[in-house]
Amino acid sequence: MYAIVEIAGQQFKVSKDQKVLVHRLAVEEGANVSFDKVLLVDNNGTITLGAPAVEGASVGAKVLKHLKGNKVIVFKKKRRKGYQKKNGHRQALTQIVIEGINI
């Protein structure tokens, strides 16, 4: 059984006991959270497709920890102009574990 769910503006294919890294959620570590925007549910071969979301379906998850992603280097340069710009970014992430898919 799996579901396609929208979490923090991104779509994820999730199943029970799967760990997922999502954009930072505004909840404490150890808290339970529920996502209601379930786009598709596959229950042992029976596919339920939402328009846009499946009615009454939700995905329950537990927040494990907040962390930062890998550093991404942004480097800009214009040749023969003496212009160089170096910048870095680390995305704030939340690690969650999927506890169940409710239909």
Side-chain angles (χ1 to χ4, degrees):
M1 179 177 207
Y2 70 89
I4 296 179
V5 61
E6 184 173 328
I7 303 171
Q10 291 184 320
Q11 295 177 6
F12 296 94
K13 180 181 175 184
V14 297
S15 57
K16 191 173 183 329
D17 298 329
Q18 179 182 1
K19 291 182 181 177
V20 182
L21 287 174
V22 299
H23 288 303
R24 180 69 57 97
L25 300 175
V27 293
E28 302 87 29
E29 292 184 6
N32 291 328
V33 64
S34 178
F35 304 106
D36 296 330
K37 196 154 187 184
V38 180
L39 306 175
L40 181 140
V41 176
D42 181 7
N43 190 1
N44 298 327
T46 305
I47 295 176
T48 305
L49 186 62
V54 178
E55 293 289 329
S58 66
V59 173
K62 182 177 181 180
V63 175
L64 294 180
K65 62 182 174 179
H66 297 294
L67 56 120
K68 285 188 172 183
N70 294 334
K71 182 171 249 188
V72 177
I73 303 296
V74 180
F75 184 74
K76 299 178 182 180
K77 178 181 173 138
K78 294 188 187 271
R79 64 183 192 159
R80 297 188 302 270
K81 305 297 182 202
Y83 172 77
Q84 289 185 354
K85 187 80 162 176
K86 184 177 177 183
N87 198 356
H89 175 74
R90 290 186 72 185
Q91 183 69 36
L93 301 173
T94 299
Q95 185 179 26
I96 61 173
V97 62
I98 305 299
E99 292 185 332
I101 301 170
N102 304 319
I103 302 174

